[in-house]
């Protein structure tokens, strides 16, 4: 088995840190985005219902 150089260790460490940070960022983004997504869906749903009611009244 070849001995890794100091540069190789540093690169692997940086890659590991970046992967960990990106995984954390993804999890945090999902946690933050999920409630926002639900709020947007609920708002769009109620908005489309009110539009349908308005068009029904007009028609």
């Amino acid at each position: 088995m070849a001995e890794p150089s100091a540069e190789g260790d540093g690169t692997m460490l940086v890659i590991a840190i970046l992967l960990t940070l990106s995984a954390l960022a993804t999890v945090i983004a999902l946690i933050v985005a999920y409630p926002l997504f639900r709020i947007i869906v609920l708002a769009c749903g109620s908005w489309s219902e009110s539009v349908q009611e308005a068009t029904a009244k007009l028609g």
Side-chain angles (χ1 to χ4, degrees), residues 11-42:
T11 306
M12 291 300 291
L13 184 64
V14 168
I15 291 170
I17 290 170
L18 287 175
L19 286 173
T20 306
L21 288 176
S22 64
L24 281 172
T26 305
V27 169
I28 291 168
L30 287 172
I31 291 169
V32 169
Y34 182 67
L36 289 175
F37 179 71
R38 286 185 58 193
I39 290 167
I40 291 167
V41 167
L42 289 172

